[in-house]
Amino acid sequence: LSYGALNWEDLMNKFQLPYQVYSLLYCVIGMGAISFTIVAWFVVRIMTRKAQAPPFRLKESYEFMLWWPIQGVVVASLPIIVLSVIIKMSLSPDYFAMLQSVPCTYETLSIGQADEAEAERCQYGRTG
């Protein structure tokens, strides 16, 4: 048995768990947050000397813990998704083929025209 440090990529790959584990963990953490809110409300309700203690507003609690984070993720992800689609479509020969007329070697640039094999090689060079 030997111990040693892993680089970042190996470390992340070794600790990769199934999606069910992460989903369960997310739900448990969410339920814990809701439970903490209920306990805090209960303590405030017991400790308040007023005749009318504040009611527990479950809908507002869910809105605070679920709706606003979902909005934040959507707003942050939307520009990335749009730019990814634009880049993918601009590099794909099936959609816009914007770069099809741009030569990828000096030889093609001097000739001015590329044959089919050269165009395919350029396409693979641009998209990987």
Side-chain angles (χ1 to χ4, degrees):
L1 185 66
S2 65
Y3 294 99
L6 294 173
N7 62 18
W8 181 252
E9 184 178 346
D10 290 338
L11 182 67
M12 288 294 107
N13 288 334
K14 298 287 183 191
F15 282 105
Q16 185 177 9
L17 298 173
Y19 290 117
Q20 293 84 4
V21 173
Y22 292 113
S23 298
L24 180 67
L25 185 62
Y26 179 76
C27 289
V28 167
I29 291 171
M31 285 186 233
I34 296 291
S35 301
F36 180 76
T37 304
I38 291 172
V39 168
W41 170 80
F42 189 69
V43 168
V44 167
R45 184 142 178 122
I46 289 175
M47 303 299 273
T48 302
R49 296 181 189 244
K50 291 172 62 174
Q52 192 80 5
F56 183 69
R57 294 181 175 96
L58 186 64
K59 184 181 175 197
E60 288 181 15
S61 178
Y62 272 113
E63 180 181 339
F64 178 73
M65 291 187 200
L66 294 176
W67 179 241
W68 292 345
I70 288 171
Q71 281 181 326
V73 168
V74 168
V75 167
S77 301
L78 198 60
I80 295 169
I81 292 170
V82 168
L83 285 175
S84 298
V85 168
I86 290 172
I87 291 170
K88 184 70 173 172
M89 288 178 73
S90 67
L91 291 176
S92 175
D94 301 331
Y95 295 108
F96 295 123
M98 293 169 43
L99 298 175
Q100 196 111 16
S101 62
V102 178
C104 62
T105 62
Y106 287 117
E107 181 182 346
T108 312
L109 181 64
S110 64
I111 295 172
Q113 182 99 12
D115 60 348
E116 283 296 318
E118 181 67 15
E120 186 175 347
R121 190 183 74 75
C122 287
Q123 179 65 30
Y124 289 137
R126 289 185 181 111
T127 59

